[in-house]
Amino acid sequence: MPDPGPAWSIEVDREVCMGSGMCIVYAPGTFAHDDETKAVVVDPAGDPLDAIRNAVQACPTSALRLVMDENDDEGA
């Protein structure tokens, strides 16, 4: 049976993202910039969860959101 992956996901609000790069500083294995200098998730499990939480909290525009997938409920 394949690994179901992390029990959480990361949302990026591209309308709000200003490309500060703070997410990349805190979690470089998880986040990168695309050709519009907007944050993208390259590997949701690329860094420890604490590093990803720090990256989400460090975002100056609150464009990032860590969503815990408890019991597979949508919109948790």
Side-chain angles (χ1 to χ4, degrees):
M1 183 181 246
D3 181 6
W8 40 268
S9 59
I10 304 163
E11 295 177 356
V12 179
D13 186 339
R14 293 179 53 81
E15 297 297 317
V16 176
C17 179
M18 66 180 224
S20 75
M22 293 307 295
C23 56
I24 298 169
V25 169
Y26 284 96
T30 301
F31 297 98
H33 277 155
D34 66 8
D35 57 357
E36 295 178 28
T37 319
K38 302 277 187 170
V40 293
V41 177
V42 292
D43 181 0
D47 292 287
L49 184 55
D50 285 343
I52 295 169
R53 280 191 178 122
N54 288 336
V56 169
Q57 291 173 353
C59 180
T61 61
S62 300
L64 305 174
R65 185 168 170 237
L66 187 62
V67 179
M68 301 310 286
D69 298 330
E70 296 180 28
N71 300 325
D72 295 324
D73 288 343
E74 299 243 349

